[in-house]
Amino acid sequence: MDTDLTPVDERDDEESEETPLPFQPVSVQDGKPVTIVAQGLSKYFTHKGEIIKAVDGVSFTFTEGQFVTIIGPSGSGKSTLLYVLGGLDQATSGELLVDGVDVRHLSEQQEHQFRRAKMGFVFQSFYLLPTLTALENVMLPMQLAGGQSSAQLRERARALLLEAGINEDRHSHRPGKLSGGQQQRVAIARALANDPRVILADEPTGNLDTFNGKRIIELLKKLSEQGKTVIVVTHDRSIAREADVRLEMEDGRIRGTGNYVAPTRSLTLARKKKGKKK
Amino acid sequence: MDIVIRGMRNVLRNPLRLLLVVFLLGASLMLVAAMVSLNSSAQQQLANVHQEVGTAITINYATNDSQGAGQSTANAGPPGGGQQSGGGFFSRPTVTPVPNSTVAKVKNLPGVASVEESLRRTDTESILQTSTIQTPDGRSISIPPTVNGISTGAAHFTLAGGSTPTLVSGRTFQASDATAYVAMMSQTLAQSNSLTVGSTFALKGKTFTIIGLYTTTDQGFASNSLVVPLATMQSVFSLSGVDSITVYAQSYEQVDALAAKLRNTLGKAYDVVTEASTYANTINALNTAQNSIKLALIVAIVTATLVIIFAVFITVRERTIEIGTLKAIGASHSQVIRQFWGEVLALSVVAALIAVGLLATLGPVISNAFNVSTPTNTTTTPAGFRGGPFGAGRVLFASPVANLNVHLSSATLNAQALLIIVGLGMGLAVLTSAIPAWYVARIKPAEVLRRG
């Protein structure tokens, strides 16, 4: 994606007072609470006067506990869609509800709150803070949220790291002293710090070898089984095959039968495929 | 682990750069403090010199220098006119180089605070008993009394040789004495003639009453002197002018302008001399030192500012991804900015501590580099700066160049220096805190993380 782009119709960056997130009742689909609803979601950029439709009117609904993959060639808009879903980018148009929060109408301060409370991010390059230990990196989102004692933060971070597969003897290590796979596990533990409803992972295995990549995907799948909605952007079709829901993107649109991919159908298909393998 | 500790760790993440930055910043802060201290000292010294120099401008007739007591009267046409009188070893011309009309013209010039006239003659016909001196050929001759005429309102006055009179009994002149036959006399001369306050004596055929006695710092001519009101003296000596006049400007800063105006008004017939020119060496040395100090001060401030701006800018610039990550995991602008402010503050505090240490050790060395060296000229240092009943005296016959022994006080660690270092350090921290604030606000996490 060209980085020299100007977002279209983005709202002003004025900081406002901290206010409660605008909340709408969460609907239920197939007996599960809906975590993400996108309707005609678009993200446009201008580049040298030309409008680039990075995401162009996509619609979908995801529910709790789904493992979703977004797959497509470079520049198809999958990462942009992920950032829009995570509130890191503002959609140009369309509707977006994440866990009942109308993301498009958040103030900047509410956006921070939203990301802190509802989202967990996992990046290809891990983006752990190099001066902090593994434990401190996991504590950081909780510190930003506030409201817990240092001991509580430490205990929760420790538990999350263990859950992510980082042994205690590595908790005091800085990222530079950890392997790529370990760093990504720490990043996943950090993403879980504030117990978000949704985990967004942008090419989480992109910098890992096959073995470690598989273990990370297993970990993410485990999280979805625990009730998180996990959305993974990937180039890897083998990872996409693991998904309950698979979105294939091309030129900013969801390719296939319309813009909407029914989660239940995809889930059924994925399970069928799994059954065939066995 | 809180935001402060996180900031400290970030400060320490590149120890080599940290050392470079804090030492450069610390050295600059130390230089600023040292230069402010030296500048203050130079300013004080200049003020002292200005006070020494005063606001006086002396006007003498150009071709009949008043130092030439006893010189030939054949000088061409002094403008004051008057007749020749007296003769012999102590004879003095009766001419008055500065006529009363010139005095009046000077008094009317704008910018003139006051004018004091000086008139001095020896009374060779006096019957007063005076001390004697040996001539080069071994003869013993009496020193005739020197008669000084002063304005009744004169605030500055010295006797021959620059001696300052100090009243020991009686009183000084009042406005009502302007044309009266009253005199103040040297105590030595009075005692030689058994005179006291209230006694009378004859001068040029007139009877004068002694109203005051004074002592002098000089036991030569000054101890054989007496002082009478200027108008009275002009009357008894049949003079219509004075030897020289001293003009006082309203302030030191106006002296040069007034001197130029006087030169313009009086023309080349008169020498208009300011005391500032007498102390030119000292003043120039101080001005040069002060200019160097100011230049160094500016360089130090600019360097300190550039160092911290550079350090902060590099710090935030290289951590764009980190800022994006922090925002992505839910940090607000203010939370990110506070972390950077903590780091900037930590840099400034460490630099200030280094500056304090450097000033304590290098302050005297730096001071020496900027110090002013002017030789003390004891032979020409003017006398007569003491207070007394005639007011602060002023040398009448200053040599062309005189030096005051000035010395800039050493820049040491004191409360003022500490305040400057800490104040500037914190000020720069506050100033540069705008950089992370601006930078963090404009970072879009999606953009920087996408760039990766």
Side-chain angles (χ1 to χ4, degrees):
Chain A
M1 173 66 65
D2 195 331
T3 56
D4 188 22
L5 300 171
T6 309
V8 176
D9 200 20
E10 197 161 335
R11 57 153 181 69
D12 290 340
D13 273 351
E14 282 177 24
E15 189 125 7
S16 60
E17 294 293 315
E18 190 155 326
T19 51
L21 296 173
F23 183 77
Q24 293 182 17
V26 177
S27 58
V28 175
Q29 187 173 297
D30 296 333
K32 290 183 178 178
V34 170
T35 47
I36 297 180
V37 178
Q39 284 294 332
L41 200 62
S42 299
K43 176 66 184 178
Y44 298 164
F45 297 96
T46 54
H47 181 60
K48 295 176 180 171
E50 189 187 341
I51 290 181
I52 296 167
K53 296 176 178 176
V55 177
D56 190 13
V58 299
S59 301
F60 47 78
T61 302
F62 300 144
T63 60
E64 193 178 275
Q66 283 187 325
F67 184 69
V68 181
T69 58
I70 304 173
I71 194 163
S74 292
S76 60
K78 53 189 189 302
S79 288
T80 303
L81 175 60
L82 195 77
Y83 291 142
V84 170
L85 293 180
L88 294 175
D89 245 349
Q90 284 289 314
T92 307
S93 63
E95 295 300 323
L96 177 62
L97 282 178
V98 177
D99 199 24
V101 175
D102 183 356
V103 180
R104 287 214 61 219
H105 297 99
L106 296 179
S107 68
E108 189 156 327
Q109 186 58 40
Q110 287 173 325
E111 240 177 45
H112 302 311
Q113 286 175 254
F114 166 75
R115 289 199 290 264
R116 208 183 285 155
K118 306 284 184 186
M119 291 289 163
F121 290 92
V122 179
F123 302 100
Q124 180 178 354
S125 301
F126 325 129
Y127 294 146
L128 298 173
L129 300 197
T131 53
L132 305 183
T133 63
L135 193 77
E136 289 164 347
N137 265 290
V138 180
M139 287 167 69
L140 188 57
M142 296 186 273
Q143 282 180 323
L144 295 171
Q148 292 184 75
S149 71
S150 184
Q152 284 173 316
L153 299 182
R154 195 168 287 276
E155 187 48 44
R156 176 161 170 74
R158 194 179 142 274
L160 287 169
L161 281 171
L162 289 172
E163 192 184 331
I166 301 292
N167 291 334
E168 201 134 7
D169 62 338
R170 299 282 174 183
H171 290 191
S172 58
H173 285 209
R174 292 193 179 176
K177 299 286 181 190
L178 299 173
S179 70
Q182 287 170 328
Q183 288 189 56
Q184 196 60 295
R185 285 170 182 278
V186 174
I188 291 170
R190 182 180 67 182
L192 293 168
N194 287 327
D195 195 20
R197 298 296 303 277
V198 180
I199 302 288
L200 302 176
D202 188 8
E203 303 277 6
T205 59
N207 280 347
L208 303 177
D209 57 39
T210 312
F211 175 73
N212 276 307
K214 275 187 178 170
R215 290 185 66 188
I216 290 297
I217 293 301
E218 279 167 15
L219 181 58
L220 291 171
K221 280 204 77 175
K222 192 174 136 194
L223 294 176
S224 73
E225 284 160 12
Q226 289 169 358
K228 309 285 182 201
T229 301
V230 179
I231 303 171
V232 178
V233 164
T234 182
H235 281 102
D236 191 338
R237 291 199 168 268
S238 66
I239 295 171
R241 279 196 292 273
E242 301 281 325
D244 301 322
V245 180
R246 188 175 67 199
L247 302 185
E248 284 201 36
M249 290 193 72
E250 193 174 294
D251 297 331
R253 290 175 170 271
I254 294 175
R255 199 176 62 178
T257 54
N259 288 348
Y260 175 71
V261 178
T264 48
R265 200 175 116 223
S266 296
L267 186 64
T268 312
L269 286 173
R271 282 178 182 160
K272 276 181 185 173
K273 280 177 186 172
K274 265 188 179 179
K276 278 180 187 174
K277 274 184 186 174
K278 286 173 186 173
Chain B
M1 184 194 64
D2 57 13
I3 204 163
V4 177
I5 296 172
R6 216 159 57 228
M8 292 298 136
R9 284 196 195 161
N10 284 326
V11 166
L12 293 167
R13 80 165 51 177
N14 191 334
L16 190 64
R17 189 202 295 160
L18 171 71
L19 275 179
L20 190 68
V21 167
V22 293
F23 267 100
L24 270 173
L25 188 56
S28 304
L29 291 178
M30 179 273 289
L31 271 177
V32 170
M35 291 308 119
V36 169
S37 172
L38 286 173
N39 187 47
S40 165
S41 175
Q43 196 75 41
Q44 183 60 46
Q45 290 290 344
L46 262 179
N48 289 346
V49 172
H50 288 172
Q51 199 179 349
E52 292 269 297
V53 169
T55 59
I57 303 166
T58 307
I59 300 171
N60 292 301
Y61 185 62
T63 55
N64 191 9
D65 189 79
S66 56
Q67 287 186 72
Q71 73 184 37
S72 167
T73 58
N75 291 332
Q83 46 182 254
Q84 307 280 337
S85 73
F89 195 84
F90 296 106
S91 66
R92 186 170 173 99
T94 57
V95 292
T96 48
V98 186
N100 286 341
S101 58
T102 301
V103 176
K105 200 189 289 181
V106 168
K107 279 181 176 171
N108 290 330
L109 272 181
V112 173
S114 65
V115 175
E116 291 179 10
E117 302 95 325
S118 171
L119 185 58
R120 180 175 301 152
R121 293 291 181 272
T122 46
D123 181 16
T124 51
E125 300 156 5
S126 176
I127 55 166
L128 291 170
Q129 293 294 314
T130 58
S131 53
T132 58
I133 57 168
Q134 289 288 117
T135 62
D137 56 3
R139 285 188 298 130
S140 180
I141 57 169
S142 294
I143 304 172
T146 307
V147 183
N148 298 278
I150 64 167
S151 320
T152 48
H156 313 82
F157 180 69
T158 54
L159 299 165
S163 180
T164 307
T166 305
L167 191 73
V168 289
S169 62
R171 64 172 176 86
T172 59
F173 297 133
Q174 298 165 349
S176 57
D177 297 325
T179 55
Y181 294 107
V182 290
M184 289 184 287
M185 186 175 279
S186 148
Q187 194 174 34
T188 309
L189 184 61
Q191 283 169 350
S192 301
N193 293 280
S194 304
L195 298 172
T196 59
V197 174
S199 303
T200 58
F201 66 96
L203 175 67
K204 292 282 185 181
K206 300 290 182 186
T207 302
F208 282 74
T209 304
I210 297 173
I211 60 166
L213 296 177
Y214 57 83
T215 55
T216 67
T217 50
D218 172 64
Q219 293 307 309
F221 288 93
S223 63
N224 288 305
S225 65
L226 54 100
V227 182
V228 299
L230 181 69
T232 306
M233 183 169 172
Q234 285 180 328
S235 164
V236 296
F237 279 84
S238 303
L239 301 170
S240 57
V242 294
D243 294 333
S244 68
I245 53 177
T246 304
V247 178
Y248 292 91
Q250 280 157 354
S251 69
Y252 176 81
E253 288 71 29
Q254 294 173 4
V255 168
D256 284 342
L258 182 58
K261 207 182 289 177
L262 284 165
R263 286 185 195 105
N264 198 35
T265 305
L266 301 176
K268 290 184 177 177
Y270 294 92
D271 284 333
V272 177
V273 180
T274 63
E275 298 270 352
S277 59
T278 310
Y279 293 98
N281 283 352
T282 305
I283 292 171
N284 286 344
L286 275 171
N287 280 332
T288 305
Q290 205 177 19
N291 287 340
S292 306
I293 288 165
K294 280 178 181 168
L295 184 67
L297 178 64
I298 291 167
V299 169
I301 289 175
V302 169
T303 307
T305 309
L306 288 180
V307 165
I308 195 161
I309 285 176
F310 172 79
V312 173
F313 190 75
I314 292 293
T315 300
V316 291
R317 181 108 179 116
E318 74 180 1
R319 280 157 62 191
T320 305
I321 295 283
E322 183 180 321
I323 295 167
T325 307
L326 283 168
K327 284 188 170 186
I329 64 174
S332 64
H333 285 336
S334 58
Q335 283 175 317
V336 182
I337 289 166
R338 276 208 301 274
Q339 180 182 316
F340 281 98
W341 284 353
E343 292 176 40
V344 176
L345 197 64
L347 270 183
S348 301
V349 168
V350 175
L353 288 175
I354 289 172
V356 166
L358 285 175
L359 187 62
T361 50
L362 298 178
V365 179
I366 292 166
S367 303
N368 277 343
F370 285 90
N371 206 354
V372 178
S373 176
T374 55
T376 308
N377 189 338
T378 50
T379 56
T380 55
T381 298
F385 283 96
R386 279 166 291 170
F390 298 94
R394 194 188 60 74
V395 68
L396 292 178
F397 311 115
S399 59
V401 177
N403 293 311
L404 294 170
N405 186 22
V406 293
H407 172 70
L408 298 187
S409 58
S410 183
T412 51
L413 186 62
N414 52 29
Q416 188 204 19
L418 205 60
L419 203 66
I420 290 166
I421 289 170
V422 173
L424 187 64
M426 296 306 107
L428 286 174
V430 170
L431 178 79
T432 47
S433 65
I435 297 171
W438 165 79
Y439 196 79
V440 167
R442 65 189 284 275
I443 282 183
K444 308 274 184 233
E447 284 176 24
V448 297
L449 297 175
R450 198 182 285 130
R451 241 179 275 157

